[in-house]
Amino acid sequence: MTAVAVAPAKDGQPGRAGQPARDKRPEIQALRTAAVLGVVLFHLWPGAIRGGYAGVDVFFVISGFLITSHLVREAAKPGGVRLGAFWARRIRRLLPAALLVLVCSAGATYVLVPEALWQQFLRETVAAAFYVENWQLSWAAVDYLAAEDPPSPAQHYWSLSVEEQFYFIWPLLIVAATLLTRRRPKVRLTAIRAVFLAVFVVSFVASVYVTATDGADSYFVTYVRAWEFAVGSLIAVLPFSLKRVPGRWAPYLAVAGWLGVLGALLLFNDSLPFPGWVALLPVVGTALVIWAGAPRGLGLRVVGHPVVQWIGTVSYSLYLWHWPLVVVLPETGPVLGTWLREPLILLVTIGLAALTYRFVETPFRTGPILETAPRAFLFGVLGAALVAAVAVPGILHGRNLVEESRAQAEALASGDTECFGAAALMEGCRNPELDGVLLPAPIARKDDTGRAYRCYLPEIETYAADARPEVCHLGSDDPDALRVALVGDSHGASLIPGLTRVAESSGWSVDTLVANGGGLLPATAGDPRRAYREALIEQLDQGAYDVVLVTQRRNPNLAAGEPNPVADQLAQAWKPILERGTKIIALADNPYLTPEAATCLDEIETLADAGACEMTRQEAYATSDPLAEAVRLAGPGASLIDLSAAYCDEDRCPLVVGHVQAYRDRSHITATFSMTLAPYLVRAVEDEL
């Protein structure tokens, strides 16, 4: 589980426009306070509140309880649930503050965020405005090329998106159960309970399974979070005999619940398989506190304290503002560059939350501005359109620059411009005609893949029982051409833009066989990619290749020089190929950026900024690359080529080489750099033949 932004629920008992909210329960406000403080403090001081991310689960249970209580009461009335009125109340309560923060976040992105991050941040802002940010993040989490994206100012809207989807679907389920039992009203509540129980069972099983098999996806998606809403809903529709906890048991249930909630917030950490079964602790804890009801005596004095109640009241705005401030405010300067940054963000967040609750939330919720449902719906549409109107120009601007940057880079690379890219270090030269040029443009860097991944199998496809490498051909079709198989992972795919440019002129006929985790390793029992590896070896057997060019991503969690078990596995897989007389050439992996270097890379906006971004050679190659040891173990027929001179001189490794940004992220090279590296790769391979 990674540190991500999480969000609170709003009160589910809003009342009519112009009237105050009903049924304020002090223990629910206190739960909100504990949850929002857990979330905010976790984001500001993650080492102190290690499980603060579990606050989102508290909010989901609260939403399930309050919204279901309201909808079931409406369903029992002669007119039933009025969907339009219900959704209009949600708009009045949630959208004004949410849209305000999104507009401000988009504006702050233009002013305070490096241009390289605009497209990602603004795309997520639009996704948040339409309440699909959780699906956007889920896609990014499973997309290998986006997995290293930094958090955006709108990331915390993922849980608001889950809640809005809940607000859309839940009343429809209740209406459906009501219609199905319209001739038997006595079993209506039983039918509603059965629906909630079914949602709980299916979603909980899915949550446990998906968390165990694909944690990145499970954290954000709606269907593995629905069971948490269902728990709150089931508390709301308990049979009358269970509705009220006997007075003597209520304090014990409440204490047990609070221990569960606070224990999760304080003791959980990012190594747990979350949500899954682990989320039962904060979910059940929250349900017990709600079921126990309003406390008395000392309990009431604690949870009913004015400060506790006030924080619960402004928890929505408190949550909305804190995360954009964490993301967009720089970590440099006489104040923000010191320990004062986090306390300052906390104070500013509290101030903005108070102002937003007083001047935005309350007037829109209780005043006449959005009193009618049509006005509320129109506001929702226009508000989302306003956010898009602010964000989309930046996205389009970025796309235009991406195309311009790609065309300029291809023109310079194709024209064999002197000292451009890798040539600057390989030849030890500088081209004054390139002064001021920086390619790809900062805003285009993350998208500078050169279509390298068109034939790249993503992780999920390599796990299939019938998985096979997708073979793409480039270069010469001459039967006498050198037959080369490029085998590897995403680092192998990064070489494709360069090989596409030079393969034909070099007399190479190249088949690319690249995939997530697609290194040339043995197919062993228990390997989820066993079918893929067997098919890969079969393809190499049948391809009649002269050379197999292999790549393997270095292990960022293993220090250079430490024993790397992958080396033995590689050598084992290579030997049958070597015995057939096929040459294996391994390309030593490119450097892996330190976190500081990656941050510096994101902040490059002009060529002048690039001079400050570099690593020492020791830092650049601090992690384990198994290929050299694998070549030694494999014996004759296997060789290693090392192009580290294209990335580093004797001491330093700049992130911009010959006016080219060499790295797309912490470990992948840009397509532009790949094109400048390819001639040296071809020369090195041919020297080994």
Side-chain angles (χ1 to χ4, degrees), residues 246-302:
R248 65 181 182 277
W249 293 109
Y252 297 105
L253 285 178
V255 169
W258 277 110
L259 288 175
V261 170
L262 297 177
L265 295 176
L266 296 174
L267 301 178
F268 279 9
N269 58 58
D270 60 6
S271 67
L272 294 173
F274 202 85
W277 64 269
V278 176
L280 281 169
L281 183 60
V283 168
V284 173
T286 303
L288 289 177
V289 172
I290 294 172
W291 188 27
R296 298 178 182 179
L298 178 61
L300 180 59
R301 288 197 294 274
V302 174

Side-chain angles (χ1 to χ4, degrees), residues 161-183:
S161 299
V162 173
E163 292 219 23
E164 288 296 336
Q165 292 156 30
F166 163 75
Y167 296 145
F168 179 76
I169 294 171
W170 220 245
L172 295 178
L173 293 178
I174 292 176
V175 168
T178 302
L179 291 174
L180 290 173
T181 58
R182 63 186 181 276
R183 297 176 184 268

Side-chain angles (χ1 to χ4, degrees), residues 475-516:
S476 175
D477 292 321
D478 190 320
D480 295 326
L482 183 71
R483 293 276 293 152
V484 179
L486 173 64
V487 178
D489 49 23
S490 57
H491 288 207
S494 296
L495 301 174
I496 292 176
L499 289 175
T500 301
R501 173 178 165 248
V502 301
E504 185 164 5
S505 61
S506 301
W508 282 24
S509 174
V510 181
D511 285 347
T512 65
L513 301 93
V514 291
N516 180 277

